[in-house]
Structures are given as structure tokens and as C-alpha cells.
């Protein structure tokens, strides 16, 4: 496997992918799961449910409270009614018991009246006899009084010794005597008729009867007494006063759990059973509701008994509230349990609703949460995240769109990475990628060597065969170097990148000795020395390699790169296909160059550059027909710096256009002055490659020429052959437009590079300047003579004026002139001169060339006459 790690995009990407732990971390600012839409919806539903439940519960409780209050009221009434009803029944029962007492009295009396001894005693009319008998009978029958009457209704005896006269008087006109008379009046033994009832005795009557005063109420019965013949002989009356306590009532009380009172119309208590001292002053019968006792502790219901009496049964008043409370408790607990049941059902229903909603929300938002997670991953830089659209409806639509977007995003990110980190021509990693990958390789302990390769002659290939061929060549170079490195290192041990136009950088780990590095460099040179097949042509190039070793020459990529670059310049200057190692003095050279760059920039800004002028002389008559403006820089410390050097620096640091503009302005002004003074000169200026390719070139030239008020036909622009060939279409367009204004164009340094004659023929130049290398020493070089002759003939054939450059000897001049050169330029006439000195050359003298042989090769003035 190739050790050129930088060519493996996946590996590089993997190294930049976020670490695993970061992919899983929840990024800040991104909502965590509990605040997801699903959870929020559920929270809303839950809150609504709980609120609803609370509301329903509250309202229900309130309503129940009201109900219970009503119920309590109703129950109060109900329990009162119930108690009243019960007491009513009991009062009737109590009355029945009393009535039974009365009936018993009557029945016993009847039996007594029918007894023969009783009849005999009555018939005897002897009160003693009567008393003796009745006292016995009364005590056995439980009668308080047993009174015997004769057939006229007169008292004839009693069970106790009484004043019978007084008794007769007392009983006169009483209810008892009325009833007695009725019985005595009309009665027969076959149908005996007695009378029973309850009587209220007045005090007089009571005292006559010998009864205590409290015995005001008594059961009375009257029965007729017949003799053996069936004749009515008298009557018996039994009196049984109701006692304060009556056994039957007490029995009743203990059975019925209620007190009983028998009261008179004046609310006097006749008899009572149960709690004592309970008084009912306002007792009524046949009224609704309960009667309260005077102390309020008891409630009672009364029924009428006979005409004047009432039988009342009573119970503790607390029974009403107790019953009511008991009933209320039963009702309330029932109601409460109902309410709880209701609330439990509501809660259950709510729970079911929430579960259903949860499921629905989960189902609906399932796709959304996956979407959000994926988006977070992507936001975190992880484009490799897996995503499949899920969910339904719009969520699914969104997911599908997201899926497509992710695919596009991956593709464009891949493309961007490719563009950002890979060179489209050679398909190698570029400068940035190398900067990212190199430190890992350089940092290894085994050391490494960095090779800075600059192709020799690549520019010419580009100019000669065109850019496509140039690109093809770069691809092949990249391939050869990759293959070489593949055979050299183990996986991950080498890096290769294209870092500039024809510049490559290779790093080989483990190479740390000069010998090992030299071997690698030689292999690189050898592999690139083999000619390249470009379309139908074969081309050869060379390579200059600068080498810096880690750790000897530096430990960082930047240091090693700079140092290898410096070393590369050394290699380049010592000829093609060489390599050189970085040495510390190169750093000094670099520093000096940097200082020069700074000084040049300053000089340009301060217009410290000057323009010298070199004449172009007619080969026909020796007249100065034109002049070439050439930039000169006198460095305050280093003296004159040759244009070859500072022009190159200016080109490299992007200041050449400013120099050209300055020279143009200055030359237009100075030569313009000479033209206005009468010299008919054609001024030639040089333009750099970058300038002619600048879209604003035409506009700038026109403006500058107009501002200088310079006649356009007197201006000639020199474009070097290599520049013209590099981009012929652009050059042709620029030339054509400016030529319409009358400006002339010349191809400079023709013959110095790989000329493409057909392209040259199509370019609308006015003149061709034949390079010094073709001209110098031509007189004594047959090969050069042939070439120069052919070149001059060809240019003439194509209609170009010709200028031979760098003519230093009369022989060379003569040869050129004889072979049709239009003009000549060179030290033979004059080196480039300051304006004043150049102006001297224009003095109207007869031109005669006196050749001064150049002994030391230095520029010096030539005499022109
Ligand atoms: P070039 O345009 O071909 O200019 C002619 C060069 O030949 C000049 O060199 C001139 O001094 C030199 N030369 C002329 N006659 C002779 C001779 O008989 N023998 C020898 N050995 N050399 C002779 P210079 O001035 O050093 O300029 C070198 C090159 O720098 C120029 O070549 C031109 O390409 C470039 N250059 C000079 N000034 C400018 C400028 O203002 N702008 C641009 N873009 N390039 C300039
Ligand atoms: Mg020139
Ligand atoms: Mg030239």
C-alpha cells in the first residue's frame, strides 16, 4: 500500500471526524429529550388531564357538599317525622294498655256484681255486711273503691268505712251518678248493661270517697246487681284511680324504650313511666312534628284518651339528631364512596387517555426525533450519520426531503473537500492538505526528509504545447513520483502534494541522513528524466530539488518547507536536474532576498526607479528609429541591481505592474517631450505577462497615453515570445483592440523559447525582436547564421519588421543587415542611457558606427555619429 497518506481522503476525513464521545454528547443549545415535541405534548395532555380532573373533582366535591347539606336538612326532617311516627304508634300502644286496664276493671266488676253473695249483701242494705264483703273483693280485684248502690242510686256501702251520706251528696250530679241512674233505670238480668269509663274526680268527691287528692283520674265501672229473681236491686261501682306509676306503663316503657305520660287537659301529669320529672306544658295531639319537653331534652307525641286526657310517649331529643346524624353518616359515606369511585374512574379514563395520546404522539413524532438527532449529528460535523425517513404524513415528507438533502450535502461536502484539499490537475493533495497531514509524519521519532521539487522547463512546455499538455504533463509527473514513493516507503510513511504551478513536495519518513536523502532525490530526478509523451510529441523536463531533513534542518513542517524551498533555488541556479541540501547560509540569502523585496516595494512606492533608453537603429541607414525604455534600480547599499533580478522579484511579489505603469508614464512623458521637440521616435515599452492578462490592461494603456498626450503610432508594446504563446487568444484580442488606435506591438526575445510558428503567424504583431542568443556571435557561427537567416526570412515573409537584439559587433550587425534585419539594438550603438545622454544621441549628426571592441563585457557607451 502506498505510504502517501495524503492521497487517501477517507483516512484524512476519519482523522477529522469528531471523536466518538462528542458524537453522542448532547450539544448545548439543542433541546434534550424531555423538551421534545412529544414530551411537551404529553406534558400538555397530562397537565390538561390533571387540571380537568382537579376541576371535576373540585366541582363534584362542592356539589356533594351542597347535596350533603340538603340531605342533612332533609334527613333532619325525616328523622323527626320518623321519630314522631314511632312515638305516635307507641302512644297509641300505651293508650291501648290503659284502655285494657279500664276494660279489665269493667270485666272484673261484672263478675263481682253477678256473684250471689254480693247480691245478698246489696240486698241486705247493711253497710257493715257490704263493707265486709266488698273490702275482701276489692282487695283481691285491685279496686281502690268498691261502692254499692241500692236500686235508687243511693250509696249503701263501700269497701272502706265512709260517710255514706256525704258520699251520696258528693256524687250527686256527677258523671258517675248520671251513668248510674241510666243503668238503674233500664236494665234486665237477661241483658245486663254496665258502664265503664274514666272519670276525673273533684276534690270533694275524692274526700267523700276517702281517696287521696292526687287520685283525680280513675277508671270507673258500674254494673247492675240483680237478686235471685232477676230484679234489679242495686249496682256496684268500682273505682280504680290511675296511679303515679302504672306497672303496665312501666313494662311498656322498658319494652318500647320510650317514656309515657298521661296528662290532663291542664297538662297535669296523671301518670308517668320512664324518666321522671319530664313535663310537657304545651302538649297537643294531632299536630305534625314533635312536642318538646319544657326542658327541651325530650320530644313527645300525644294521642287523646277519653275526652280530657292525653297519652304521650316521649324519647330523648338527642334521638332526633343522633338518627339524623346516623342517617347522614350513612348517606355521606355512601356519597363519598361514590365520589371516590367517580374520581377513580375519571383518573383511570385520564390515564388511559394519556397512554393513548402518548402512543399517538410517539407514533406521529417518531420520525421527528430521528430527524432532530440526525440534524444534531450533522451540526456536530458528522455527515456519516445513518438516516432513514420514518413517520407518517408531513413528518415522512420532511424526512424524505431531509434524506435527499443529506445526500446532496454529502456529495457537495465531498466535492468541497476534494476542491479544498486536492489539486484537480494532478489529483494529488494540495498545499493545504499537506499542511494538515505533514506534522503527523514529521513528528515521528524516526525523522523525515522533505523534498521541494520544482520542474525545470515546464513553462516552456506550457507555452509550446499549450495548457492542456502542461496539465497532462503534471499528471504524469505526479503519477511517476507517486509510483516511486510507493516503492520506497511502507504504508503511512510518505506524503506527496502539488504545492504550486510546477512545484511538488514529498516527505519521506525515516530518511534522516544526507546519503539516504540524496539517493531518494536522485531517484526522483531519474524518474522524471525519462521523456514524456504529450499527444504526438515527446517532451523532456528536468527537476530541481531542495532537501531539508528533520530534525537536522528543522522540526516543523513550515521550517522544513521554507528551508527546502531555499535549497531548491540553489539547486535551480546550479543547473537542471540537481538537488541541494539546506545549509544555514541559505537562510541568510533568503533574509537578504526578503530585505531586497522590502526595499524594492519601497523604491517603487517612492518612485526611486529610473528609466534608461536604448536606441533602435535602422540597418539601412543607421538612423535612430526607435528607443526601448528599460527600468533601472539603484539600490542605496547594493548599487545597481540588474533588471533581470529585480523584475523577477517584482513579478514574484506582484509589483511588476506598478513598475510597468511607472516606466510607461515616465517614458511617455520623456520621449513624448523629444517627439514634440521634433524627433520621430517609436517608443518601445516592455509589459509583463500578468499585465497583458489583466482585463484592465487596455483601459489603463489608453488612459495613460491620452493623459501623456502621446501619439499612439509612436508607441510600441513589447511582449515576450513566451507570454504571447502562453495565452495567444487573449493576447490577440488585446493587441487587436489597441492596434486599432495605432499602437504598435512587437514580439520580444523571439527564438529564446519554444516558438510555435503557426501561432506566431496568427498574432497581429508589427515587429519581431530576435533574441540576443540568436544574434550574439552569429558572424562566426554557421549554425546560428542559418537559424537567424531563416528567422529573418520567415518574419519578413509574415510581414513583420525585424529587430536584432544584443548586437555587439560590426560583423554580427553586418550579417543581420545583409540578411534583411530592419533594425538593430545593442551595445554596438549604445547601452541603455539616461534620458539626457540618450537625447545627445539624437543630435542631427551623420550616423557612423565606430566599433569599439568590448574587452571586459561591461556595458559602455558606443559612439554613434
Ligand atoms: P529586453 O526587453 O530584451 O531588453 C533588452 C535587454 O538587452 C536589456 O537588458 C539590455 O540592456 C540588454 N542589451 C541590449 N543590448 C545588449 C548588448 O549588446 N549586449 C548585451 N549583453 N545586452 C544587451 P536589461 O535592461 O538588463 O533588461 C533585461 C530584461 O528585463 C529586458 O529584456 C526586459 O525583458 C526586462 N525589463 C527591463 N525593463 C523592464 C520594464 O520596465 N518592464 C518589464 N516588464 N521588463 C523590463
Ligand atoms: Mg524588451
Ligand atoms: Mg529582448
Amino acid at each position: 500500500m502506498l505510504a502517501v497518506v495524503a492521497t487517501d481522503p477517507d483516512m484524512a476525513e476519519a482523522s477529522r471526524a469528531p471523536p466518538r464521545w462528542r458524537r453522542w454528547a448532547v450539544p448545548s443549545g439543542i433541546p434534550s429529550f424531555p423538551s421534545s415535541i412529544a414530551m411537551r405534548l404529553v406534558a400538555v395532555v397530562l397537565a390538561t388531564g390533571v387540571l380537568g380532573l382537579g376541576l371535576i373533582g373540585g366541582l363534584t366535591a362542592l356539589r356533594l357538599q351542597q347535596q350533603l347539606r340538603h340531605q342533612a336538612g332533609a334527613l333532619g326532617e325525616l328523622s323527626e317525622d320518623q321519630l314522631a311516627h314511632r312515638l305516635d304508634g307507641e302512644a297509641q300502644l300505651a293508650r291501648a294498655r290503659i284502655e285494657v286496664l279500664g276494660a279489665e276493671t269493667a270485666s272484673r266488676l261484672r263478675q263481682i256484681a253477678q256473684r250471689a253473695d254480693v247480691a245478698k249483701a246489696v240486698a241486705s242494705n247493711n253497710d257493715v255486711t257490704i263493707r265486709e264483703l266488698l273490702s275482701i273483693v276489692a282487695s283481691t280485684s285491685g279496686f281502690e273503691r268498691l261502692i254499692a248502690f241500692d236500686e235508687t242510686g243511693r250509696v249503701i256501702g263501700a269497701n272502706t268505712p265512709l260517710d255514706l251520706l256525704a258520699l251520696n251528696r258528693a256524687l250527686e250530679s256527677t258523671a258517675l251518678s248520671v251513668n248510674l241512674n241510666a243503668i238503674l233505670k233500664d236494665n234486665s238480668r237477661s241483658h245486663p248493661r254496665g258502664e265503664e269509663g274514666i272519670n276525673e274526680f273533684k276534690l270533694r268527691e275524692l274526700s267523700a270517697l276517702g281517696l287521696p287528692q292526687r287520685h283525680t283520674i280513675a277508671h270507673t265501672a258500674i254494673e247492675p246487681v240483680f237478686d235471685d229473681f232477676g230484679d234489679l236491686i242495686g249496682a256496684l261501682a268500682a273505682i280504680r284511680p290511675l296511679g303515679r306509676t302504672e306497672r303496665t306503663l312501666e313494662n311498656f316503657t322498658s319494652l318500647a324504650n320510650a317514656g309515657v305520660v298521661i296528662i290532663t287537659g291542664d297538662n297535669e301529669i296523671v301518670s308517668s313511666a320512664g324518666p321522671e320529672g319530664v313535663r310537657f306544658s304545651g302538649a297537643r295531639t294531632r299536630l305534625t312534628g314533635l312536642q318538646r319537653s319544657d326542658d327541651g331534652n325530650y320530644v313527645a307525641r300525644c294521642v287523646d284518651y277519653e275526652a280530657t286526657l292525653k297519652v304521650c310517649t316521649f324519647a330523648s331529643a338527642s334521638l332526633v339528631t343522633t338518627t339524623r346524624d346516623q342517617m347522614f353518616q350513612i348517606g355521606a359515606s355512601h356519597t363519598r364512596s361514590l365520589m371516590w369511585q367517580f374520581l377513580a374512574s375519571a383518573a383511570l379514563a385520564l390515564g388511559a387517555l394519556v397512554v393513548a395520546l402518548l402512543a399517538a404522539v410517539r407514533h406521529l413524532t417518531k420520525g421527528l426525533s430521528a430527524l432532530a438527532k440526525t440534524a444534531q449529528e450533522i451540526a456536530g460535523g458528522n455527515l456519516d450519520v445513518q438516516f432513514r425517513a420514518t413517520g407518517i404524513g408531513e413528518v415522512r415528507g420532511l424526512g424524505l426531503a431531509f434524506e435527499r438533502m443529506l445526500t446532496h450535502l454529502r456529495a457537495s461536502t465531498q466535492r468541497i473537500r476534494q476542491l479544498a484539499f486536492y489539486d484537480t490537475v494532478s489529483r494529488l493533495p494540495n498545499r493545504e492538505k499537506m499542511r494538515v497531514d505533514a506534522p503527523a509524519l514529521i513528528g515521528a521519532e524516526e525523522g523525515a526528509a522533505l523534498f521541494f521539487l520544482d520542474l525545470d522547463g515546464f513553462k516552456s512546455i506550457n507555452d509550446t504545447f499549450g495548457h492542456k499538455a502542461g496539465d497532462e504533463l503534471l499528471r504524469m509527473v505526479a503519477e511517476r513520483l507517486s509510483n516511486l514513493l510507493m516503492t520506497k516507503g511502507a504504508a503511512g510513511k510518505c506524503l506527496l502534494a502539488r504545492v504550486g504551478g510546477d512545484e511538488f513536495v514529498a516527505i519521506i519518513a525515516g530518511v534522516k541522513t544526507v546519503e539516504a536523502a540524496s539517493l531518494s532525490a536522485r531517484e526522483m530526478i531519474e524518474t522524471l528524466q525519462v521523456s514524456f509523451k504529450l499527444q504526438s510529441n515527446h517532451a523532456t523536463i528536468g527537476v530541481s530539488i531542495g532537501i531539508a531533513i528533520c530534525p537536522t534542518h528543522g522540526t516543523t513542517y513550515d521550517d522544513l518547507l521554507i528551508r527546502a524551498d531555499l535549497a531548491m533555488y540553489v539547486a535551480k541556479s546550479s543547473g537542471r536536474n540537481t538537488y541541494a541540501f539546506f545549509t544555514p547560509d541559505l537562510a541568510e540569502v533568503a533574509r537578504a532576498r526578503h530585505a531586497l523585496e522590502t526595499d524594492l516595494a519601497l523604491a517603487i512606492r517612492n518612485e526611486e526607479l529610473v528609466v534608461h533608453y536604448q536606441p533602435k537603429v535602422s540597418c539601412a541607414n543607421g538612423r535612430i528609429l526607435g528607443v526601448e525604455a528599460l527600468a533601472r534600480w539603484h539600490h542605496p547599499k547594493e548599487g545597481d541591481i540588474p533588471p533581470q533580478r529585480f523584475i523577477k522579484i517584482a513579478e514574484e511579489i506582484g509589483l511588476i505592474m506598478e513598475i510597468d505603469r511607472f516606466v510607461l508614464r515616465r517614458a511617455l512623458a520623456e520621449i513624448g517631450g523629444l517627439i514634440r521637440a521634433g524627433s520621430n521616435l517609436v517608443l518601445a515599452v516592455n509589459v509583463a505577462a500578468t499585465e497583458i492578462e489583466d482585463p484592465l490592461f487596455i483601459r489603463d494603456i489608453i488612459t495613460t497615453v491620452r493623459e501623456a498626450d502621446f501619439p499612439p503610432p509612436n508607441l510600441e508594446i513589447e511582449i515576450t515570445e513566451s507570454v504571447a504563446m502562453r495565452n495567444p487568444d487573449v493576447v490577440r484580442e488585446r493587441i487587436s483592440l489597441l492596434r486599432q488606435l495605432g499602437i504598435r506591438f512587437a514580439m520580444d526575445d523571439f527564438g529564446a523559447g519554444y516558438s510555435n510558428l503557426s501561432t506566431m503567424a496568427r498574432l497581429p504583431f508589427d515587429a519581431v525582436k530576435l533574441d540576443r542568443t540568436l544574434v550574439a556571435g552569429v558572424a562566426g557561427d554557421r549554425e546560428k547564421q542559418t537559424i537567424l537567416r531563416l528567422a529573418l526570412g520567415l518574419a519578413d515573409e509574415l510581414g513583420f519588421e525585424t529587430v536584432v537584439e544584443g548586437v555587439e559587433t560590426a560583423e554580427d550587425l553586418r550579417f543581420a543587415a545583409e540578411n534583411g534585419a530592419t533594425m538593430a539594438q545593442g551595445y554596438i550603438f549604445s547601452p541603455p542611457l539616461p534620458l539626457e545622454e540618450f537625447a545627445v544621441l539624437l543630435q542631427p549628426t551623420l550616423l557612423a558606427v565606430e566599433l569599439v571592441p568590448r574587452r571586459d563585457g561591461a556595458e559602455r557607451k558606443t559612439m554613434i555619429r
Side-chain angles (χ1 to χ4, degrees):
M1 155 118 193
L2 173 61
V4 183
V5 287
T7 55
D8 185 351
D10 293 340
M11 274 178 68
E13 284 324 305
S15 70
R16 273 212 319 283
R20 198 166 258 295
W21 61 265
R22 244 184 63 200
R23 295 192 205 163
W24 293 105
V26 176
S28 58
I30 307 250
S32 57
F33 185 63
S35 51
S36 69
I37 291 179
M39 291 318 287
R40 278 168 191 228
L41 276 174
V42 170
V44 167
V45 169
L46 261 175
T48 316
V50 168
L51 217 71
L53 195 65
L55 209 69
I56 292 171
L59 283 174
T60 313
L62 210 72
R63 189 87 190 102
L64 277 175
Q65 210 65 34
Q66 282 179 350
Q67 288 278 57
L68 285 174
R69 266 205 297 277
H70 281 137
Q71 200 177 341
L75 284 174
E77 281 172 21
L78 187 68
S79 57
E80 240 184 79
D81 282 356
Q82 255 198 348
L83 191 59
H85 194 67
R86 192 193 115 198
L87 289 177
D88 259 348
E90 280 166 355
Q92 278 164 15
L93 276 176
R95 182 177 63 185
R97 287 204 171 209
I98 299 297
E99 281 170 349
V100 166
L101 278 181
E104 274 176 359
T105 305
S107 128
R108 276 185 211 151
L109 184 64
R110 192 169 301 127
Q111 288 168 6
I112 293 166
Q114 287 172 359
R115 277 169 55 172
D117 54 341
V118 172
K120 251 184 215 161
V122 171
S124 72
N125 210 349
N126 184 323
D127 67 328
V128 177
T129 312
I130 293 171
R131 185 169 63 230
E132 279 175 358
L133 181 64
L134 290 191
S135 63
I136 299 163
V137 174
S139 66
T140 55
S141 304
F143 298 144
E144 197 67 30
R145 284 293 170 268
L146 199 56
I147 303 165
F149 298 89
D150 64 9
E151 72 274 13
T152 62
R154 191 175 53 89
V155 178
I156 54 170
N159 64 323
T160 52
L162 294 173
D163 180 354
L164 298 180
L165 281 174
L167 183 59
N168 267 320
R169 277 198 301 275
L171 292 179
E172 263 174 30
S173 311
T174 63
L176 186 76
S177 72
V178 171
N179 287 337
L180 177 69
N181 289 333
I183 285 167
L184 292 176
K185 208 176 193 181
D186 183 18
N187 228 322
S188 72
R189 187 175 180 158
S190 53
H191 292 99
R193 185 171 51 81
E195 183 71 42
E196 65 157 288
I198 193 135
N199 276 333
E200 185 175 354
F201 292 99
K202 296 196 174 67
L203 283 178
R204 192 168 59 93
E205 294 162 4
L206 286 174
S207 72
L209 284 167
L211 289 174
Q213 287 193 359
R214 53 190 168 81
H215 285 165
T216 52
I217 304 293
H219 277 117
T220 56
I222 306 169
E223 285 294 329
V225 180
F226 298 94
D227 63 10
D228 296 340
F229 306 104
D231 295 329
L232 183 74
I233 55 166
L236 279 180
I239 295 172
R240 188 185 173 284
L242 283 175
R244 275 276 172 215
T245 56
E246 285 287 341
R247 182 177 295 243
T248 183
L249 292 184
E250 278 179 344
N251 289 343
F252 171 83
T253 302
S254 61
L255 278 175
N257 197 19
V260 185
V261 282
I262 298 171
I263 49 181
T264 64
D266 304 328
N267 293 321
E268 282 302 318
I269 293 175
V270 176
S271 182
S272 70
E276 287 181 16
V278 184
R279 298 193 65 82
F280 294 90
S281 303
R284 308 246 192 298
T285 54
R286 294 211 185 87
L287 284 172
T288 52
L290 293 164
Q291 319 262 317
R292 294 253 158 204
S293 64
D294 293 357
D295 58 8
N297 291 335
Y298 296 92
V299 287
R301 284 290 291 175
C302 301
V303 291
D304 288 330
Y305 178 46
E306 296 295 324
T308 54
L309 297 179
K310 290 187 277 278
V311 176
C312 302
T313 45
F314 62 91
S316 169
S318 67
L319 262 184
V320 177
T321 49
T322 313
T323 314
R324 187 197 61 200
D325 289 350
Q326 278 172 355
M327 288 170 75
F328 179 76
Q329 282 307 325
I330 294 166
S333 75
H334 188 66
T335 313
R336 254 184 239 116
S337 99
L338 266 180
M339 190 186 90
W340 283 119
Q341 276 176 25
F342 168 75
L343 284 179
S345 326
L348 263 175
L350 183 77
L353 181 76
V354 167
V355 169
L357 254 153
L358 249 171
V361 165
R362 253 190 100 78
H363 183 61
L364 288 175
T365 59
K366 193 171 71 180
L368 266 186
S369 51
L371 209 67
K373 261 190 189 165
T374 313
Q376 283 174 24
E377 286 285 319
I378 292 170
N382 177 18
L383 281 185
D384 301 327
V385 60
Q386 290 298 320
F387 179 75
R388 273 264 156 272
T390 51
I392 52 170
E394 288 93 335
V395 175
R396 183 170 172 76
L398 190 64
L400 287 171
F402 192 79
E403 223 177 276
R404 282 198 297 279
M405 193 186 81
L406 187 59
T407 310
H408 287 306
L409 192 63
R410 280 191 192 126
S412 35
T413 309
Q414 186 59 35
R415 179 93 187 110
I416 288 167
R417 279 179 191 158
Q418 194 67 30
L419 287 174
F421 287 108
Y422 291 87
D423 167 40
T424 47
V425 175
S426 65
R427 300 196 189 104
L428 284 181
N430 62 13
R431 182 184 288 271
E432 282 68 35
K433 182 83 174 114
M434 183 57 127
R435 185 174 296 285
V436 171
D437 295 336
L441 204 63
I442 290 168
E445 272 188 16
E446 50 185 335
L450 188 147
F451 301 79
F452 196 108
L453 293 83
D454 187 287
L455 302 183
D456 301 324
F458 173 71
K459 204 159 170 280
S460 305
I461 301 267
N462 233 358
D463 294 344
T464 313
F465 298 109
H467 278 227
K468 261 190 165 176
D471 289 352
E472 184 58 31
L473 181 94
L474 287 173
R475 250 193 302 280
M476 287 192 276
V477 167
E479 201 179 313
R480 284 192 195 177
L481 289 174
S482 291
N483 290 340
L484 175 72
L485 291 176
M486 242 195 262
T487 60
K488 283 204 75 64
K493 296 280 184 179
C494 300
L495 291 174
L496 176 65
R498 182 182 169 213
V499 297
D502 57 358
E503 294 167 347
F504 296 82
V505 166
I507 301 175
I508 307 175
V511 175
K512 56 180 174 184
T513 62
V514 170
E515 292 72 33
S518 302
L519 181 68
S520 299
R522 272 198 300 276
E523 284 171 344
M524 289 178 198
I525 290 169
E526 277 164 20
T527 194
L528 297 183
Q529 252 177 349
V530 181
S531 69
F532 292 87
K533 195 165 184 298
L534 294 175
Q535 291 136 20
S536 53
N537 303 301
H538 284 272
T540 53
I541 52 156
V543 62
S544 302
I545 305 175
I547 308 167
I549 293 174
C550 172
T552 320
H553 299 139
T555 49
T556 67
Y557 170 68
D558 284 332
D559 282 353
L560 291 171
L561 187 73
I562 292 169
R563 289 169 187 186
D565 190 14
L566 289 175
M568 187 276 292
Y569 277 104
V570 174
K572 186 139 283 211
S573 57
S574 55
R576 282 180 155 211
N577 286 328
T578 50
Y579 62 87
F581 284 89
F582 170 76
T583 52
D585 58 309
L586 287 182
E588 180 49 38
V589 171
R591 198 204 53 74
R593 149 120 189 181
H594 180 72
L596 205 63
E597 283 174 8
T598 314
D599 293 344
L600 177 61
L602 210 66
I604 293 167
R605 197 179 321 135
N606 297 338
E607 297 203 341
E608 284 168 15
L609 264 53
V610 291
V611 182
H612 282 192
Y613 300 96
Q614 189 177 33
K616 290 192 212 170
V617 181
S618 163
C619 288
N621 54 22
R623 294 175 73 99
I624 299 176
L625 300 179
V627 57
E628 179 171 8
L630 294 155
R632 290 291 178 267
W633 179 30
H634 182 80
H635 191 274
K637 282 189 202 141
E638 296 191 24
D640 289 337
I641 312 275
Q644 302 283 19
R645 192 165 162 216
F646 76 79
I647 291 290
K648 189 161 182 285
I649 294 173
E651 274 175 345
E652 282 167 9
I653 63 175
L655 290 175
I656 188 64
M657 275 167 65
E658 289 181 44
I659 293 181
D660 284 355
R661 294 287 194 280
F662 164 75
V663 171
L664 179 68
R665 271 199 315 276
R666 180 64 60 87
L668 287 177
E670 292 180 346
I671 302 299
L674 293 177
I675 292 172
R676 279 192 288 278
S679 305
N680 189 18
L681 288 172
V682 172
L683 165 69
V685 290
N686 297 283
V687 293
T690 44
E691 191 168 3
I692 194 120
E693 284 161 5
D694 181 11
L696 298 177
F697 170 71
I698 295 175
R699 198 198 66 184
D700 283 1
I701 295 283
I702 293 172
T703 315
T704 317
V705 169
R706 282 203 180 132
E707 277 173 3
D709 196 19
F710 193 89
N714 284 50
L715 178 65
E716 186 172 80
I717 292 170
E718 293 187 8
I719 300 169
T720 57
E721 180 200 17
S722 57
V723 173
M725 292 300 169
R726 192 159 88 183
N727 210 342
D729 293 334
V730 172
V731 171
R732 185 170 41 245
E733 183 206 317
R734 306 274 148 89
I735 291 177
S736 302
L737 280 167
L738 288 174
R739 279 188 85 216
Q740 285 170 15
L741 297 173
I743 295 172
R744 291 163 53 86
F745 279 85
M747 181 186 283
D748 204 355
D749 302 342
F750 179 78
Y754 293 82
S755 297
N756 184 325
L757 293 177
S758 65
T759 308
M760 189 192 86
R762 282 190 283 113
L763 287 170
F765 283 105
D766 297 281
V768 172
K769 293 182 80 176
L770 299 164
D771 192 66
R772 193 167 64 83
T773 51
L774 293 183
V775 182
V778 71
D781 187 334
R782 293 193 64 80
E783 200 179 327
K784 271 192 181 175
Q785 285 175 8
T786 314
I787 296 171
L788 188 61
R789 199 183 296 117
L790 281 173
L792 286 169
L794 182 74
D796 186 48
E797 197 72 16
L798 292 171
F800 297 137
E801 283 181 9
T802 46
V803 182
V804 282
E805 289 189 299
V807 182
E808 291 183 2
T809 64
E811 294 76 27
D812 292 347
L813 176 64
R814 192 168 302 117
F815 180 83
E818 281 171 5
N819 284 285
T822 321
M823 279 176 280
Q825 183 181 348
Y827 292 161
I828 189 169
F829 301 115
S830 166
L833 296 171
L835 179 76
E836 306 77 44
E837 293 180 36
F838 172 73
V840 174
L841 300 182
L842 298 176
Q843 300 294 323
T845 49
L846 246 184
L847 277 176
V849 178
E850 186 189 322
L851 298 178
V852 178
R854 289 169 56 87
R855 277 188 294 271
D856 54 9
E859 280 187 16
R860 56 200 175 93
K861 290 178 188 172
T862 306
M863 288 187 293
I864 301 174
R865 300 214 170 81

